[in-house]
Amino acid sequence: MKTIPYRYYLPEDKMPKSWYNLRAAMKDKPEPLINPGTGQPVTPDDLRPVFCDELIAQELDNDTAEFPIPQPILDMYRIYRPSPIIRAYRLEEALGTPAHIYYKFEGNNTSGSHKLNSALAQAYYAKAQGMKALTTETGAGQWGTALAEACAAFGLDLTVFMVKGSYNQKPYRKDVMRTFGAKVIASPSDTTNAGRAILANDPNTSGSLGCAISEAVELAVTTPECRYVLGSVLNQVLLHQSVIGLESYAALQEFGEYPDIVIGCAGGGSNLGGLMAPFMRDTLEGKKPDTRFVAVEPASCPSLTRGTFAYDFCDTGKITPMAKMYTLGSGFIPSANHAGGLRYHGMSPMLSKLYHDGYMEAVAYEQTQVFDAATMFARLETILPAPESAHAIRCAVDEALKCRETGEAKNILFGLTGTGYFDMAAYASYLDGTMTDYVPKDGEIMAR
């Protein structure tokens, strides 16, 4: 009987030295980004005013399997990586399930999430290219915090457009960003043409990630020595997040274990894409064809489960390239639910393609269902999960309960992407019984 520790850290010398590009294993590649002005696939020159050169190369490369991680990024990774993989023994016992439940915990850094993995990479490449400043958007605030950390580490100025709903819900999250030197603006704002147009249409809007992206891109392209960076959706971001899956893969190998089910919350797709990368590679190559991959999203912003697989703008202001993805419409404004990081109208083109081709499943949950699981998990495992992560917990619990019914001892792996210490307004709403569930009507979806 093998002994599997409760919490296991890979030795530092086994930390991945390269990122893994899952697109290299895909026989049918994701559709290319389209320049809306020409109707043709984007070229590096199209993207150069917005992104850094090395990130453009990573974004457009469908065939290179591995990208070496530059040493300065590895040096920063070592501050908080490898991150632990944890066997949820107490959760298993409480559920009375024969399933083995593992979770990869990415909350051991100040951002409290997996977002720092890509933030450090993008800030490094900007600095190496001679940039002085970056702009970005943030929903729940985890990406903005991570990028503020990364910009402080590499000496860059940063402006963050934070979705207004989250800006008001999480006043201290913006102060963490400010502590690291970032300027934080509630979006939509009156500081950009895109923001002013959105406010003119709806002065009381709570905003969306699509709105904030429009503002951040506009500022980047009108500011010298400045570039825009994105915390999810794009191929380059899923590439950087592959360290999550590569570490999980190596750790489980130490125990002779392999997941039957891989679960991740899905807003733009970065954490799920990173977690599943080496396991999906095995599936695509025929080594593990029976592994299930489940994307979990909020019922209030159900891109995969109710969206349309079509080309759409990545932002509300329609100034970005168009991506072939599952989308609710670039004009979709989600309700101000408490999972701010999952309030994006679209989904990663790579994950969208895998889902469309039948390699992934998707499920959507309402808020109260998610917080039922979050509070149970916190009491059993002692970690307060972010609302986004709690979607994956909800699904993992449901899958473990199915195993209890069938008697199958399946291995379940999910991503615990971050902590929920800035989400106490959400927990208070749940505990006070004032939390509501909102599911958009069909007429609200694909609004443009």
Side-chain angles (χ1 to χ4, degrees):
M1 191 77 177
K2 56 182 175 250
T3 301
I4 297 174
Y6 207 112
R7 176 178 291 229
Y8 179 71
Y9 290 86
L10 275 176
E12 187 177 300
D13 62 3
K14 291 189 177 182
M15 188 170 72
K17 303 299 190 296
S18 296
W19 295 301
Y20 175 65
N21 180 12
L22 179 57
R23 286 168 290 156
M26 295 174 65
K27 180 180 178 181
D28 295 319
K29 309 295 185 183
E31 298 293 335
L33 295 172
I34 294 295
N35 181 325
T38 65
Q40 299 298 312
V42 297
T43 66
D45 286 343
D46 292 334
L47 297 177
R48 198 156 282 124
V50 179
F51 298 115
C52 294
D53 292 346
E54 182 58 33
L55 296 171
I56 294 171
Q58 293 174 3
E59 183 65 30
L60 300 180
D61 191 327
N62 280 332
D63 302 309
T64 302
E66 294 187 352
F67 286 81
I69 304 173
Q71 191 61 46
I73 301 175
L74 284 173
D75 292 341
M76 292 299 299
Y77 277 179
R78 288 193 180 96
I79 296 174
Y80 67 101
R81 305 205 71 84
S83 67
I85 193 164
I86 302 172
R87 173 78 180 270
Y89 283 108
R90 282 174 52 81
L91 181 60
E92 293 173 13
E93 182 180 6
L95 296 175
T97 180
H100 295 179
I101 305 174
Y102 294 93
Y103 58 95
K104 182 67 163 163
F105 180 46
E106 290 291 309
N108 287 339
N109 62 79
T110 300
S111 75
S113 82
H114 67 296
K115 296 290 189 176
L116 192 56
N117 301 327
S118 186
L120 287 167
Q122 296 191 58
Y124 165 78
Y125 288 122
K127 184 70 173 183
Q129 193 174 322
M131 295 298 122
K132 304 296 184 186
L134 294 176
T135 69
T136 197
E137 79 297 324
T138 194
Q142 292 175 336
W143 167 246
T145 305
L147 191 60
E149 289 181 64
C151 286
F154 290 111
L156 295 164
D157 292 334
L158 173 64
T159 300
V160 179
F161 289 90
M162 186 174 184
V163 175
K164 189 174 293 183
S166 292
Y167 184 95
N168 294 330
Q169 285 173 350
K170 304 175 185 183
Y172 293 119
R173 176 64 81 173
K174 59 179 175 282
D175 291 328
V176 176
M177 291 183 251
R178 292 170 59 209
T179 298
F180 283 96
K183 179 181 180 181
V184 186
I185 300 171
S187 174
S189 74
D190 62 2
T191 66
T192 66
N193 290 329
R196 286 188 287 270
I198 293 165
L199 287 172
N201 183 61
D202 183 2
N204 297 315
T205 181
S206 60
S208 71
L209 283 167
C211 297
I213 289 170
S214 295
E215 295 204 86
V217 171
E218 179 181 326
L219 180 61
V221 299
T222 57
T223 304
E225 299 179 306
C226 181
R227 290 293 186 272
Y228 164 74
V229 293
L230 184 65
S232 191
V233 181
L234 296 176
N235 294 324
Q236 59 188 274
V237 181
L238 274 66
L239 173 74
H240 305 148
Q241 295 297 353
S242 67
V243 296
I244 304 172
L246 293 168
E247 286 183 7
S248 300
Y249 195 97
L252 289 173
Q253 278 189 322
E254 301 275 325
F255 316 138
E257 296 271 75
Y258 195 96
D260 298 294
I261 310 170
V262 179
I263 300 168
C265 63
S270 66
N271 86 88
L272 174 57
L275 176 65
M276 75 181 198
F279 304 105
M280 180 61 81
R281 174 195 60 203
D282 286 355
T283 293
L284 293 173
E285 294 178 349
K287 298 174 184 175
K288 293 286 184 177
D290 297 327
T291 305
R292 291 173 54 209
F293 301 89
V294 186
V296 192
E297 56 188 10
S300 61
C301 194
S303 304
L304 289 171
T305 53
R306 293 179 63 195
T308 300
F309 188 47
Y311 268 104
D312 195 13
F313 288 95
C314 296
D315 70 313
T316 303
K318 301 183 179 181
I319 61 176
T320 63
M322 301 180 74
K324 183 74 173 289
M325 60 183 176
Y326 276 88
T327 176
L328 300 170
S330 59
F332 180 79
I333 303 293
S335 65
N337 66 52
H338 290 287
L342 305 183
R343 286 194 214 128
Y344 183 58
H345 67 272
M347 184 58 61
S348 153
M350 185 173 76
L351 295 193
S352 293
K353 178 64 174 172
L354 290 168
Y355 178 65
H356 187 260
D357 290 350
Y359 292 103
M360 286 172 47
E361 306 167 31
V363 63
Y365 289 107
E366 297 179 359
Q367 281 196 113
T368 51
Q369 296 174 291
V370 167
F371 277 86
D372 286 343
T375 52
M376 175 178 65
F377 180 87
R379 293 168 186 175
L380 290 168
E381 295 292 317
T382 77
I383 297 172
L384 186 74
E388 294 81 8
S389 304
H391 286 69
I393 296 171
R394 174 75 268 170
C395 184
V397 166
D398 286 353
E399 292 293 339
L401 291 175
K402 291 177 186 176
C403 289
R404 186 177 70 184
E405 297 301 315
T406 64
E408 296 173 283
K410 291 183 178 180
N411 291 327
I412 299 171
L413 171 65
F414 72 87
L416 182 56
T417 57
T419 54
Y421 300 112
F422 288 100
D423 300 284
M424 295 319 298
Y427 277 94
S429 175
Y430 172 79
L431 296 169
D432 292 340
T434 59
M435 178 173 283
T436 59
D437 293 319
Y438 182 79
V439 179
K441 298 177 178 62
D442 290 342
E444 298 174 66
I445 292 174
M446 290 306 290
R448 280 182 161 83

